[in-house]
């Protein structure tokens, strides 16, 4: 298929990468050349890591890269696309604008998907003349490693679009779960509840971030603890989702004060070098604040 991915950040370029690795032709689009360049470089870095770990061959890497091109032109990106996946920031007005712009530049058969982790796909679809082609494809970070894609069925999504989404996800060798479009869907809602409670436990001095995370990793088999995951996702993103779910679902999603304080201070997690942990060159080197160095 021909696939357009809008947004070249960590999620966007990851979606472009897994699509190209499955044999699809992909156009990666962002609003500035620098963003596109960084996204393409991120794909190359990820693929080279796979080669270094003997997960794929040099030939497979080069073949995937040849199937990906970048652009800043939206019309060029979505021209002849069978599927468009938006991976722009979590802002409803922006996502609706992108949906409408995509519809104007594509044919009626093009499926328009959002990678949102919590916002209403039904509301996004309301910006379309043909909302039945809208669907949520919630990839997990990083998309080239995480196996799950949550397929979110909006109120307007028709059977053809749902079947298309399932076939696409299985075709890129990911596992799918299909959920109704409700606040936080299934995974973000449960994941956020766990993350917020872990933050409250740190505030209350129950245990250090590292010990809480290790308890969930060893005791429950989680690949990454909720506090380290919060640092990976971004504390600002977690706060934004918590505020949205609080509005939709009630006070149980009220953001803890330490989360608000860290976001105000610019300590947003791995991307800024500090969140609940301290990060250097992408590696966890210690815990933030009173907890000091990692044990």
């Amino acid at each position: 298929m021909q696939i357009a991915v809008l947004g070249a950040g960590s999620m966007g370029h990851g979606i472009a990468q897994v699509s190209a690795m499955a044999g699809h032709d992909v156009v990666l689009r962002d609003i500035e050349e620098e963003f596109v360049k960084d996204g393409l470089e991120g794909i190359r870095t990820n693929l080279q890591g796979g080669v270094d770990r003997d997960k794929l061959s040099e030939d497979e890497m080069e073949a995937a890269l040849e199937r990906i091109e970048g652009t800043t032109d939206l019309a060029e990106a979505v021209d002849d696309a069978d599927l468009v996946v938006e991976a722009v920031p979590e802002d409803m007005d922006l996502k609706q604008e992108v949906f409408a712009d995509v519809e104007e530049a594509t044919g009626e058969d093009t499926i328009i998907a959002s990678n949102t982790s919590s916002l209403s796909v039904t509301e996004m679809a309301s910006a379309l003349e043909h909302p039945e082609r809208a669907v949520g494809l919630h990839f997990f970070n990083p998309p080239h490693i995480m196996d799950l894609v949550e397929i979110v069925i909006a109120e307007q999504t028709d059977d053809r679009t749902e079947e298309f989404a399932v076939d696409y996800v299985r075709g890129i060798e990911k596992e799918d779960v299909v959920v109704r479009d409700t606040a936080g869907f299934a995974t973000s809602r449960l994941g956020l509840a766990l993350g917020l409670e872990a933050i409250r436990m740190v505030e209350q001095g129950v245990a250090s971030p590292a010990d809480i995370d290790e308890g969930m990793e060893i005791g429950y088999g989680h690949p990454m603890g909720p506090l380290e995951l919060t640092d990976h996702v971004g504390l600002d993103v977690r706060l934004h989702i918590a505020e949205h779910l609080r509005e939709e679902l009630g006070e149980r999603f009220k953001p803890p004060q330490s989360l608000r304080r860290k976001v105000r201070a610019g300590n947003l997690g791995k991307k800024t070098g500090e969140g609940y942990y301290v990060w250097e060159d992408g590696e966890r080197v210690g815990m933030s604040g009173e907890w000091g160095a990692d044990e």
Side-chain angles (χ1 to χ4, degrees), residues 50-241:
V51 172
D52 294 343
R53 295 190 300 275
D54 294 324
K55 299 292 186 181
L56 71 160
S57 68
E58 288 275 0
D59 288 344
E60 289 172 324
M61 177 180 78
E62 293 302 327
L65 290 171
E66 287 177 5
R67 286 191 285 268
I68 305 171
E69 59 181 280
T71 185
T72 58
D73 188 310
L74 177 64
E76 177 186 332
V78 304
D79 186 38
D80 294 328
D82 300 292
L83 169 67
V84 178
V85 184
E86 70 80 13
V88 304
E90 291 282 84
D91 177 270
M92 179 58 72
D93 290 340
L94 175 60
K95 288 181 182 291
Q96 286 188 319
E97 180 181 345
V98 169
F99 264 40
D101 289 345
V102 169
E103 183 173 53
E104 186 176 347
T106 60
E108 292 185 10
D109 291 335
T110 301
I111 303 300
I112 305 175
S114 173
N115 181 54
T116 183
S117 60
S118 64
L119 298 181
S120 170
V121 181
T122 298
E123 188 173 348
M124 291 178 213
S126 70
L128 298 175
E129 294 273 340
H130 297 279
E132 67 278 359
R133 56 160 138 185
V135 68
L137 292 175
H138 175 207
F139 285 78
F140 286 71
N141 195 15
H144 67 287
I145 292 176
M146 301 298 284
D147 288 330
L148 182 65
V149 178
E150 190 174 35
I151 299 173
V152 183
I153 305 304
E155 293 296 327
Q156 307 95 321
T157 305
D158 64 13
D159 290 342
R160 179 187 79 92
T161 301
E162 180 176 348
E163 290 168 7
F164 181 102
V166 170
D167 288 344
Y168 162 72
V169 170
R170 294 177 181 176
I172 60 173
E173 299 184 356
K174 299 294 184 184
E175 299 291 335
D176 63 277
V177 294
V178 178
V179 303
R180 289 180 53 233
D181 183 22
T182 56
F185 315 140
T187 57
S188 292
R189 185 167 168 178
L190 287 170
L192 183 66
L194 180 60
L196 294 181
E197 190 60 27
I199 292 169
R200 295 186 188 102
M201 290 167 67
V202 172
E203 287 181 343
Q204 295 163 7
V206 172
S208 72
D211 283 339
I212 292 170
D213 280 348
E214 190 172 355
M216 296 308 297
E217 291 163 10
I218 298 173
Y220 286 85
H222 291 196
M224 182 183 296
L227 293 158
E228 184 173 359
L229 180 59
T230 295
D231 273 14
H232 276 269
V233 169
L235 277 65
D236 52 336
V237 175
R238 273 277 157 106
L239 176 59
H240 179 76
I241 295 172

Side-chain angles (χ1 to χ4, degrees), residues 276-292:
Y276 286 94
Y277 293 94
V278 177
W279 302 83
E280 290 181 5
D281 299 323
E283 298 295 326
R284 203 178 95 183
V285 297
M287 288 182 283
S288 178
E290 64 181 289
W291 300 101

Side-chain angles (χ1 to χ4, degrees), residues 33-47:
E33 287 284 357
E34 180 182 357
F35 299 157
V36 175
K37 181 180 178 181
D38 288 346
L40 294 173
E41 185 57 37
I43 293 171
R44 179 174 287 277
T45 298
N46 289 342
L47 290 172

Side-chain angles (χ1 to χ4, degrees), residues 6 24-25 27 34-35 87 122 137 139 174 193 242 244 258 270:
L6 309 181
H24 302 301
D25 293 321
V27 181
E34 180 182 357
F35 299 157
T122 298
L137 292 175
F139 285 78
K174 299 294 184 184
H244 172 66
S258 72
K270 185 178 180 180

